[in-house]
Amino acid sequence: MRVALFITCVNDALYPRTGRAVVALLERLGVRVEFPMDQSCCGQPQYNTGYRHETEPLVRRFARAFAGYDHVVTPSGSCAAMVRDNYPRIGARAAAEGRGGGLAGAVAAVAPRTLELTEFLVDVLGVTDVGASYPHTVTYHPTCHGLRALGLGDRPRRLLRAVRGLELVDLPGAEECCGFGGTFAVKNAAVSAAMGADKARHIIGTGAAAVCTVDNSCQTHIGGTLSRLGSTVRPVHLAEILASTEKEPW
Amino acid sequence: MPAFPVAAAEAVGDARLRGNLRHATHTIRDKRARAVAELPDWPELRAAGAAVKDRTLRHLDHYLERLERAVTAAGGHVHWAADAAEANRIVTALVLATGEREVVKVKSMVTQEIGLNAALAEAGIRADETDLAELIVQLGDDLPSHILVPAIHRNRGEIRDIFRDRMADRGRPAPEGLTDDPADLAEAARLHLRRKFLDAKVGVSGANFMVAETGTMVVVESEGNGRMCLTLPETLISVVGIEKVVPTWRDLEIFLQLLPRSSTAERMNPYTSMWTGTTDEDGPRAFHLVLLDNGRSDALADTVGRQALRCIRCSACLNVCPVYERAGGHAYGSAYPGPIGAILTPQLRGVTSELDASLPYASSLCGACYEVCPVAIDIPEVLVHLRERVVRGGEVTVRGTRTVIRPAGGHAAERAAMRAARWVFDHPGVLRAGQRLAARTRRLAPRRRLPGPGRAWTDTRDLPPVPAEPFRDWWRRSRGEGSGR
């Protein structure tokens, strides 16, 4: 089984710890991970802001960089959703507009095999107990693309419940958007901030030490809001919790 | 109207408005979820609803002509209106021809869309809204802010004040000592409206559905005021969007399950009124149907955007939308607020105004609207599609003619930034050099005050610290160049 890691631009630049956690976790589970150096951004910010044409070279690059792997694994629900849901649309529309150049075919070969980390763990490897230890109170925020676009369901919670020492506490209004939304956070700053503040208040109210998600872009917004409110709740990616063991706490 | 972000920012600062909206939307959304969960075949019903609407829209000309024949055969008169002005002219002329100067109205989105009440007022005709929430809005010289609950932005105390201060201007005054108890408020409205129902010679309505095979109109409501307006007057004028047609009675079965559960969270709505043309010695003597286009066939020409025409105006998307909940309905600047308004209005009106160009961005693309939509309109997909229209322009249909529109103003800097970002991301060497530079100078990076458009971010949020080493440098250092490809 050839497995490639798609790190995503946000993780690469701002959250390398998450990437290192994914590598440590997968190697502990016996998966040999490859990292194609040609990879770049999935193009989600451009596409979601209305720049579909500007996204096409990045779609092409992704399809080329990850061609030939059995699975492409990414620690980002929104980037996985971008590849799985929107790449086929971008390929089809490029073909309809006569700029296809085989893009639709290249996308069809790679998009269905691109999985968010918890999908790969639960569906492909068939594990929910990954032997992790994380003795803290944690609340889980199911990010919108993970929850609704990918339909991750209870996979993340099942993984969390199997972690030694971890106490999982419910987050009120968990399924409501945190208000990040890419360029939405800048274009509609007031509404975004109000959504973020409500989310942060709910998180603080749980008394948890950490808030866990499968998407560091949402964590940037949630963590930034918590920090500005003077909260000590730590934003942490699920991969970092799952990588943590008694011998080597993450 | 200002652009959405400006109006929304003002609404966000209004604590009472936010409180009213939050309470109301959360109550309805929870009830809807329970009502929907009762039906084991909801996903199938939803798919069937979408399929019937799609098929009808694909052959809309056929079904509208069939409808026209059936309505005419049943003694009704059909009028075609290309836009709001034409529809208003037709309705005004029909009312004037009766010699009446007062009409009673059944709550109708489409007459809000075309501004019918104002057009009638200009011709000296008074139109009285009879739906409780529409009455509150009308008495308050206000605009509706929700599809189902037009006065959702008002609480009981505000409604009591509006009734007490304004009812006398339009008929029977509010009872002495009116309290803010819901039963008292409803009774005040009932007394105020009763005389209007009994005196009215002309009624104006919309319709939730039109059945092509028999020419039957369908109105679904909760208060019974609609039934009064539809049956008591001598003349009934219904203004209906062309997308409301369904082929057969059997198709109705699907929508009469989807609509009430999605909108009011009821298994069945209290009143479903159906009428076909005119009937001797029962109901109105004259029936006029005004079929309204007003941008709908232009939307139909757009293969991605046309799914918005499936909408059955249930408002489920508003009640789950975190943006609507904070911004309120008025910020959307049209009869159709919330997620559906954000995709419908820019298609019906175009994206030339600053407000209409900002509507496709009035969403974090969280997808909650798509999840609850009873006819499976992929609202996030259409939002992104319309964003492309705003920033890129391109081919659209305007009043039936294919034409090329230019990008909306104000996106030049963003477009340059997006192109630059694409170039950097498509040149990983440049990207890596940039990341390294950021890592080396990371102690200089601001966490609390970004310049330019980024300032909106750091007004309320801290930025994460820049790490010492990007991931790909760590990989190369620990795994060597060769382990990648």
Side-chain angles (χ1 to χ4, degrees):
Chain A
M1 183 168 70
R2 288 192 67 206
V3 176
L5 170 64
F6 171 46
I7 187 62
T8 84
C9 59
V10 167
N11 288 322
D12 188 6
L14 291 175
Y15 302 94
R17 270 174 67 86
T18 298
R20 296 203 299 272
V22 174
V23 174
L25 169 68
L26 291 181
E27 289 182 346
R28 196 172 80 217
L29 295 171
V31 179
R32 186 174 159 259
V33 185
E34 297 182 49
F35 185 78
M37 282 287 172
D38 279 356
Q39 64 179 277
S40 182
C41 172
C42 69
Q44 185 181 185
Q46 292 90 334
Y47 181 75
N48 279 355
T49 314
Y51 297 87
R52 177 171 57 89
H53 292 246
E54 281 76 359
T55 314
E56 280 173 19
L58 302 178
V59 177
R60 203 175 290 280
R61 163 174 294 279
F62 185 97
R64 194 172 56 229
F66 292 103
Y69 287 99
D70 298 309
H71 301 286
V72 182
V73 179
T74 183
S76 163
S78 71
C79 301
M82 171 70 186
V83 173
R84 282 231 298 272
D85 283 1
N86 293 329
Y87 275 24
R89 281 179 187 152
I90 293 166
R93 298 216 49 199
E97 291 165 12
R99 290 173 295 98
L103 189 61
V107 163
V110 72
R113 289 185 278 110
T114 301
L115 303 176
E116 188 276 326
L117 175 66
T118 68
E119 293 177 307
F120 180 72
L121 294 173
V122 175
D123 302 350
V124 178
L125 298 185
V127 292
T128 46
D129 185 346
V130 297
S133 168
Y134 195 83
H136 304 285
T137 315
V138 175
T139 193
Y140 176 71
H141 166 64
T143 59
C144 297
H145 289 117
L147 180 72
R148 284 180 278 264
L150 295 178
L152 294 183
D154 66 348
R155 290 181 188 86
R157 286 196 183 85
R158 278 162 65 197
L159 287 157
L160 282 170
R161 278 197 288 266
V163 174
R164 315 284 180 272
L166 187 148
E167 190 196 341
L168 186 62
V169 291
D170 279 342
L171 177 62
E175 299 193 349
E176 279 178 41
C177 178
C178 72
F180 172 54
T183 50
F184 174 77
V186 174
K187 284 179 182 286
N188 278 286
V191 177
S192 168
M195 290 162 68
D198 288 344
K199 181 60 71 179
R201 267 196 295 277
H202 284 158
I203 291 168
I204 294 166
T206 64
V211 53
C212 167
T213 72
V214 296
D215 232 309
N216 277 332
S217 43
C218 307
Q219 293 280 36
T220 305
H221 177 74
I222 293 172
T225 306
L226 285 167
S227 164
R228 184 61 60 93
L229 293 175
S231 162
T232 54
V233 181
R234 209 160 74 86
V236 57
H237 193 285
L238 179 64
E240 297 178 33
I241 293 178
L242 299 182
S244 183
T245 58
E246 264 168 64
K247 259 196 245 164
E248 290 178 72
W250 196 261
Chain B
M1 276 290 293
F4 181 83
V6 178
E10 201 173 308
V12 165
D14 183 341
R16 179 159 74 168
L17 174 68
R18 272 182 74 182
N20 291 352
L21 282 170
R22 183 177 170 77
H23 175 72
T25 57
H26 281 253
T27 305
I28 311 177
R29 86 167 67 158
D30 295 344
K31 279 172 64 183
R32 187 213 72 98
R34 285 197 295 274
V36 163
E38 283 183 353
L39 290 188
D41 61 345
W42 187 260
E44 290 81 8
L45 275 172
R46 183 180 189 240
V52 169
K53 282 278 182 180
D54 272 353
R55 193 183 71 231
T56 315
L57 288 167
R58 274 201 304 278
H59 307 288
L60 193 60
D61 51 346
H62 167 77
Y63 289 113
L64 287 172
E65 284 170 8
R66 190 165 176 193
L67 175 82
E68 181 181 31
R69 284 197 300 275
V71 170
T72 309
H77 305 274
V78 176
H79 311 260
W80 298 80
D83 56 22
E86 190 174 8
N88 287 333
R89 270 200 306 277
I90 293 169
V91 177
T92 306
L94 288 170
V95 177
L96 291 175
T98 64
E100 296 295 321
R101 293 295 179 271
E102 286 178 20
V103 303
V104 286
K105 284 189 70 203
V106 186
K107 176 179 175 303
S108 141
M109 298 305 299
V110 82
T111 59
Q112 289 284 356
E113 175 190 327
I114 62 177
L116 178 65
N117 290 8
L120 290 173
E122 260 181 50
I125 301 164
R126 198 178 80 186
D128 284 316
E129 297 290 349
T130 64
D131 171 86
L132 177 57
E134 285 286 354
L135 175 69
I136 294 163
V137 167
Q138 186 174 48
L139 291 174
D141 288 329
D142 197 358
L143 288 168
S145 68
H146 188 280
I147 289 174
L148 180 75
V149 200
I152 195 170
H153 53 293
R154 300 290 198 182
N155 63 28
R156 300 187 322 195
E158 293 174 273
I159 294 166
R160 192 256 333 268
D161 295 347
I162 290 169
F163 280 7
R164 190 188 55 204
D165 301 342
R166 306 301 300 275
M167 265 186 171
D169 302 345
R170 297 187 74 94
R172 181 177 171 142
E176 285 291 314
L178 180 65
T179 72
D180 67 355
D181 180 64
D184 275 9
L185 295 173
E187 183 61 14
R190 198 194 315 272
L191 293 169
H192 179 80
L193 291 170
R194 184 160 295 162
R195 175 163 298 260
K196 293 182 194 291
F197 291 134
L198 294 173
D199 289 350
K201 299 283 185 282
V202 183
V204 174
S205 82
N208 294 92
F209 306 100
M210 307 185 283
V211 183
E213 64 176 352
T214 54
T216 303
M217 304 289 124
V218 184
V219 159
V220 169
E221 43 124 7
S222 299
E223 296 171 16
N225 65 300
R227 176 76 52 88
M228 300 280 234
C229 297
L230 295 167
T231 52
L232 293 175
E234 290 168 7
T235 301
L236 173 59
I237 304 166
S238 300
V239 189
V240 189
I242 52 174
E243 82 282 16
K244 297 278 181 172
V245 67
V246 296
T248 68
W249 277 75
R250 285 202 62 169
D251 299 315
L252 267 187
E253 174 222 359
I254 299 163
F255 298 107
L256 292 182
Q257 294 181 75
L258 288 173
L259 180 55
R261 284 180 199 260
S262 300
S263 57
T264 51
E266 290 167 304
R267 292 169 181 154
M268 190 74 227
N269 47 284
Y271 296 88
T272 302
S273 302
M274 301 178 173
W275 69 101
T276 308
T278 55
T279 310
D280 287 341
E281 295 170 20
D282 185 24
R285 296 283 89 83
F287 169 60
H288 296 272
L289 171 61
V290 182
L291 288 170
L292 178 76
D293 187 322
N294 206 32
R296 286 162 176 74
S297 50
D298 293 338
L300 191 59
D302 184 315
T303 52
V304 178
R306 69 165 59 142
Q307 57 185 304
L309 297 178
R310 285 188 215 144
C311 175
I312 56 174
R313 313 283 187 260
C314 71
S315 75
C317 62
L318 278 63
N319 299 327
V320 295
C321 178
V323 178
Y324 174 85
E325 183 188 323
R326 272 98 187 167
H330 293 154
Y332 294 81
S334 90
Y336 307 107
I340 187 64
I343 62 169
L344 199 54
T345 307
Q347 294 200 77
L348 298 181
R349 297 202 299 219
V351 291
T352 44
S353 81
E354 203 188 354
L355 167 66
D356 293 337
S358 72
L359 289 177
Y361 293 95
S363 166
S364 64
L365 303 179
C366 82
C369 50
Y370 178 30
E371 188 176 54
V372 298
C373 178
V375 286
I377 302 169
D378 192 339
I379 295 175
E381 182 192 14
V382 182
L383 286 167
V384 169
H385 174 68
L386 294 173
R387 290 174 185 189
E388 184 180 333
R389 178 172 301 173
V390 171
V391 298
R392 191 179 178 85
E395 268 214 334
V396 295
T397 305
V398 179
R399 301 199 61 130
T401 307
R402 286 305 269 178
T403 179
V404 176
I405 57 163
R406 290 148 56 91
H411 288 80
E414 179 186 276
R415 190 159 37 247
M418 286 294 176
R419 292 209 171 124
R422 177 204 54 188
W423 187 81
V424 170
F425 283 126
D426 206 19
H427 292 79
V430 178
L431 178 63
R432 212 158 66 224
Q435 286 173 346
R436 281 206 189 116
L437 182 65
R440 271 187 216 130
T441 59
R442 68 199 182 102
R443 287 184 213 293
L444 304 174
R447 295 195 60 199
R448 288 217 160 178
R449 187 148 293 262
L450 276 181
R455 235 194 84 186
W457 178 273
T458 47
D459 276 349
T460 57
R461 292 153 286 217
D462 292 335
L463 287 164
V466 178
E469 184 182 45
F471 177 83
R472 64 177 75 222
D473 283 2
W474 169 80
W475 179 275
R476 194 183 298 267
R477 188 166 56 75
S478 62
R479 309 296 162 115
E481 194 80 43
S483 54
R485 287 193 306 165

